Amino acid sequence: MNPLLHRYDFGGSSSAVASAFSTTRHGGVSQGLFGTFNINPFCGDSAEAVSANRLALAGELGISDEAIILPRQVHGDRCLVVDEALMHLDPGQRTARLDGVDGVMSCLSGVCIGVSTADCIPVLLYDDEHHAAAAVHAGWRGTVQRIVEKAVRQMQAVYDTNPGLLRAVIGPGISLKNFEVGQEVYDAFQKQHFDMAAIAKHYEKWHIDLPLCNRLQLMGAGVPSTHIQDAAICTFDHAGDFFSARRLGAASGRIYTGILLT
């Protein structure tokens, strides 16, 4: 396995036209808790290291640095369509459009869309029928707001996606065992009518199963369970290979989980 990337296989012809992956902590130039492979410019890493790592990722994917799309996330539920108009904006305008966005979707070939996480759950969606994809950042706040479900509905509206044909990947994120939360977080999920018996366990405090929450949202939106691939990688347990804010602190690097349509 390339140490830079943890890749996902959609199977069949899909794998030839959509490359899906999560970056690891290996193979870059960042230092300290950003080490070594971080392309997120919003978490405190040096601009020089971020730029060098972005160029390395672009080279690995065979695209230009400008073709890597990464929003500045705010734990909301807004998803942005990445179209030709957005790609033709100058870099400053494009960055402004991507500010406050927690999901991106596109049908453009040669463009890599993705989200950054470090314990939150990244979700990728691929519509083979319409050659369209989405990348979604689902932390607990986004999960409570049902951002993944909303992304599926938005793909239906924009691309005429059939949820029953979607392929999904749940990338590396914190596990139930390690995601201890306060009563207020439990109450937020309960208020939004999540199946608390399925997603929550009480040890000394409440724990929430964020990967399962998002799997259930995908299934509720019509994605077959057999079409959902779970990386089953807990970032907290595997902080040597994947960034974990709970393990390393907020001033550390971020995983980039992306999908490139070819």
Side-chain angles (χ1 to χ4, degrees):
M1 183 183 77
N2 186 321
L4 244 66
L5 306 179
H6 178 83
R7 293 187 180 271
Y8 308 105
D9 185 357
F10 286 115
S13 62
S14 298
S15 293
V17 293
S19 178
F21 63 90
S22 295
T23 58
T24 70
R25 291 188 63 184
H26 308 301
V29 300
S30 295
Q31 300 295 312
L33 296 179
F34 301 103
T36 60
F37 198 77
N38 168 63
I39 71 163
N40 186 301
F42 310 116
C43 58
D45 197 0
S46 77
E48 295 78 12
V50 169
S51 178
N53 290 335
R54 276 183 64 99
L55 287 170
L57 177 59
E60 180 67 26
L61 297 175
I63 58 176
S64 72
D65 174 43
E66 288 294 307
I68 297 174
I69 299 298
L70 188 160
R72 191 184 74 82
Q73 301 153 193
V74 293
H75 296 278
D77 64 351
R78 181 177 167 227
C79 295
L80 181 71
V81 176
V82 176
D83 54 15
E84 291 282 5
L86 183 93
M87 295 305 297
H88 282 107
L89 294 175
D90 67 48
Q93 291 174 315
R94 189 186 307 165
T95 298
R97 287 284 305 279
L98 289 163
D99 193 0
V101 169
D102 282 87
V104 283
M105 58 186 62
S106 187
C107 63
L108 299 180
S109 296
V111 173
C112 182
I113 55 172
V115 291
S116 293
T117 58
D119 289 334
C120 295
I121 309 302
V123 178
L124 300 177
L125 304 170
Y126 178 57
D127 174 357
D128 186 41
E129 183 181 20
H130 300 98
H131 197 51
V136 182
H137 162 243
W140 77 259
R141 291 177 179 85
T143 300
V144 164
Q145 296 174 74
R146 300 184 183 275
I147 186 172
V148 167
E149 185 178 331
K150 291 173 181 176
V152 173
R153 302 303 182 209
Q154 190 170 346
M155 288 187 74
Q156 286 182 277
V158 175
Y159 306 115
D160 199 28
T161 292
N162 177 352
L165 299 178
L166 271 177
R167 299 281 173 173
V169 168
I170 298 172
I174 198 164
S175 63
L176 167 73
K177 177 184 72 172
N178 293 309
F179 190 47
E180 181 182 283
V181 301
Q183 184 66 44
E184 72 283 357
V185 175
Y186 178 95
D187 292 344
F189 278 88
Q190 186 175 53
K191 185 177 180 180
Q192 294 302 318
H193 309 294
F194 282 80
D195 182 352
M196 302 311 294
I199 70 165
K201 302 293 181 187
H202 193 273
Y203 303 111
E204 293 183 3
K205 290 187 176 180
W206 285 110
H207 289 235
I208 299 285
D209 192 333
L210 285 182
L212 178 59
C213 287
N214 285 284
R215 172 181 282 275
L216 293 174
Q217 281 188 48
L218 289 166
M219 293 169 60
V223 181
S225 62
T226 54
H227 288 195
I228 303 170
Q229 181 182 164
D230 190 344
I233 297 171
C234 175
T235 44
F236 188 92
D237 282 341
H238 295 90
D241 294 317
F242 297 92
F243 291 108
S244 168
R246 285 207 171 195
R247 194 71 176 264
L248 304 171
S252 58
R254 300 291 186 269
I255 304 161
Y256 178 74
T257 296
I259 182 166
L260 169 65
L261 300 180
T262 58

